Amino acid sequence: MNGSSEVRFHRGVMNSPASSNLRRQVAELLVLRASGHLSDHQRRYPQWELPNSTLQRLLQEGVGGVILLGGTAVELQQRTQQLQGWSSQRLLFCADVEEGVGQRFEGASWLVPPLALGRLFRDDPELAMALSERYGRCTGEQARRCGLNWVLGPVCDVNNNPANPVINVRAWGEDPSSASALAVAFQRGLSQADVLGCAKHFPGHGDTASDSHLDLPVLPHSRERLEQVELPPFRAAIAAGIDSVMTAHLLLPELDPQQPATLSKAVLTDLLRRQMGFNGLVVTDALVMEAISARHGAAEAAVLAFEAGADLILMPADADAAIDGLCAGFNSGRLPLERLEESRQRRAHALQSIPISAPSGPIVTAADQALEAELVRHSLTIRDAVVRADAGINLVRVDSLLPGAAALSGWSPALRIPETQGFRSVVLHGEGLSPWSGQPEAPLALDRLGNGPVMLQLFLRGNPFRAGRDAQEPWAAAIQQLVALNRLAGVVIYGSPYLWESLQAILPSGCPAAYSAGQMQEAQRQVLTALFPTSSPAGGGGAFTD
């Protein structure tokens, strides 16, 4: 039965006061997606972001949480106030701000990816943990100033698979030790800022080669292996008092050969609740993701998740169908009403543990700006620092334009600084005109790019929804082609340490090169002022995009 037919069926029988009260109680446990912008026409993802009329109705009917994306930090302040005004209860307001609020909302601090500190932990664990705690506090304080009370982090996945297309640099470590220590330090910072945290994606999404936004990954490991690698960061976060745990949409045949973790009682109730002793909120990952929505309608997915042990239902494909499906489950006895009350109490306890009012003052403080710059400095590698060419092509590849804090704009240092030295910018987004010739040994179609030395800047970090497509691009062969023609002016990698490690091995000695974990403008500025020490802010050659 599809979602729409379920809605029509259940609404026809649920019109008594008792049914109305049950519906409000069930609705408390939903967290719906909304744009951070105030107006409907500003929504960037209307297939997921509900229009204001629907949001207002659902909040008035009892929906208890909103996840936000898009807009500026100032708009987010206004938006959370608007949404709260549509509800008679205190709402949970959350966002995926794993790398600072500025990662999603322009005008706040966008910090380096957590894996940068995981790498620093190898050489200086005390410094890495101190920075991680400050990272968490900065994120939490800015979140509160913007009206958020729940940060969907830390990522507790151990990224021990470099080919992972969905976790990658989002993880705090590539081994259980660093991932555990730094996730706990980040959570300490969140607690100091009086916001809720969320350990994700349970029981561990770090060793997968597919993206659960697009498919259902399989983690074929034994329970013994899970205890050694995947579970330690979650155990550490639970011991540190983490407020919530988010489920992973992946199949673990050794624990449950039938259902993914999000829908598995063996994973959420037996393992997480009973064996690991977690008593806080369990929230699903977004149920609109293909790993779930391709296999279940909105109502059945919500019922299966709640039946498995989840408390909060995040981003169901159809909110009304999810509520009605859950109500039908309680009315039929499939779901015990005691579980509904337990989940509502957990939600209430979480909200009672944090203050209502947001602190006053600017969203970004001088201390926040200093932290952003310090984190960038500790995550840079500069090799043979000075670009000697005085003109040429600034070839920039961007793997995605993130909503909120895009890596590139017309005034980004990655464009502006090379342009002051006479470089003409060509920006490749992966769409439109292709830079590729089709020749494996000489993949760049240099006749399309023009003459002169090429300054190559690659913004490639491994992002969800791209299914690892960026990793298939022949940048190693392109660099060898430019070296053979004596046309390589320099190379900068922003994002993936794995790409940097593979490419730096083929760079000739004396070739200016740099790696930055961060892609934000502060990272660009630090890298390129080192590579172009005589650059000035003025000028510009006029970038174009394919």
Side-chain angles (χ1 to χ4, degrees), residues 107-131:
S109 296
W110 185 11
L111 307 177
V112 299
L115 195 60
L117 292 177
R119 293 263 168 140
L120 178 62
F121 186 89
R122 299 174 180 177
D123 300 320
D124 195 336
E126 289 188 9
L127 176 60
M129 285 192 290
L131 288 171

Side-chain angles (χ1 to χ4, degrees), residues 480-493:
Q480 291 169 332
Q481 174 187 2
L482 293 170
V483 169
L485 296 172
N486 196 30
R487 289 190 61 181
L488 185 62
V491 176
V492 181
I493 309 298

Side-chain angles (χ1 to χ4, degrees), residues 48-132:
W48 296 331
E49 295 165 353
L50 297 175
N52 282 332
S53 59
T54 304
L55 275 171
Q56 185 170 8
R57 173 181 65 80
L58 287 166
L59 291 173
Q60 290 172 344
E61 291 176 2
V63 162
V66 182
I67 178 172
L68 295 120
L69 177 65
T72 67
V74 172
E75 283 180 292
L76 181 60
Q77 287 179 318
Q78 299 168 337
R79 181 62 156 163
T80 52
Q81 292 170 8
Q82 178 191 54
L83 294 169
Q84 183 60 71
W86 292 342
S87 176
S88 60
Q89 65 177 322
R90 188 180 178 194
L91 298 176
L92 285 165
F93 287 116
C94 62
D96 280 308
V97 287
E98 301 161 1
E99 299 170 26
V101 175
Q103 179 193 16
R104 303 297 187 192
F105 305 96
E106 188 177 359
S109 296
W110 185 11
L111 307 177
V112 299
L115 195 60
L117 292 177
R119 293 263 168 140
L120 178 62
F121 186 89
R122 299 174 180 177
D123 300 320
D124 195 336
E126 289 188 9
L127 176 60
M129 285 192 290
L131 288 171
S132 298

Side-chain angles (χ1 to χ4, degrees), residues 201-337:
H201 306 80
F202 185 82
H205 209 319
D207 193 15
T208 56
S210 59
D211 183 352
S212 51
H213 293 85
L214 305 172
D215 200 359
L216 178 62
V218 177
L219 200 64
H221 300 315
S222 67
R223 175 62 187 271
E224 290 72 24
R225 151 61 196 250
L226 293 174
E227 289 288 354
Q228 292 170 357
V229 178
E230 278 77 18
L231 295 182
F234 291 96
R235 289 193 182 278
I238 291 168
I242 195 76
D243 306 284
S244 62
V245 170
M246 179 180 286
T247 69
H249 299 333
L250 51 83
L251 190 69
L252 298 101
E254 294 295 321
L255 299 182
D256 187 336
Q258 302 299 322
Q259 293 287 15
T262 295
L263 309 181
S264 172
K265 188 173 183 179
V267 175
L268 301 189
T269 298
D270 296 343
L271 175 57
L272 180 58
R273 290 279 190 218
R274 294 174 182 161
Q275 298 171 29
M276 297 179 67
F278 179 63
N279 295 315
L281 282 167
V282 175
V283 57
T284 70
D285 205 345
L287 294 187
V288 294
M289 291 163 62
E290 289 292 320
I292 302 296
S293 62
R295 293 163 175 81
H296 300 283
E300 184 66 7
V303 170
L304 287 170
F306 195 84
E307 198 170 33
D311 298 301
L312 301 180
I313 306 300
L314 177 66
M315 286 179 65
D318 181 324
D320 287 304
I323 294 169
D324 289 335
L326 287 165
C327 288
F330 289 115
N331 283 327
S332 70
R334 177 180 176 181
L335 300 175
L337 286 169

Side-chain angles (χ1 to χ4, degrees), residues 144-159:
R144 280 197 65 211
R145 293 187 193 111
C146 292
L148 302 175
N149 52 25
W150 186 18
V151 168
L152 298 183
V155 170
C156 286
D157 306 307
V158 179
N159 196 73

Side-chain angles (χ1 to χ4, degrees), residues 446-488:
L446 293 173
D447 56 317
R448 300 178 194 168
L449 300 179
N451 298 319
V454 176
M455 177 70 196
L456 186 61
Q457 298 189 71
L458 304 180
F459 289 78
L460 297 171
R461 53 170 276 163
N463 279 322
F465 293 103
R466 298 186 65 82
R469 290 191 297 272
D470 306 314
Q472 302 166 14
E473 295 178 347
W475 290 111
I479 286 172
Q480 291 169 332
Q481 174 187 2
L482 293 170
V483 169
L485 296 172
N486 196 30
R487 289 190 61 181
L488 185 62

Side-chain angles (χ1 to χ4, degrees), residues 512-531:
Y515 167 70
S516 166
Q519 297 184 332
M520 66 287 298
Q521 300 208 7
E522 174 62 21
Q524 299 168 34
R525 185 190 66 78
Q526 290 194 30
V527 167
L528 293 171
T529 52
L531 295 183

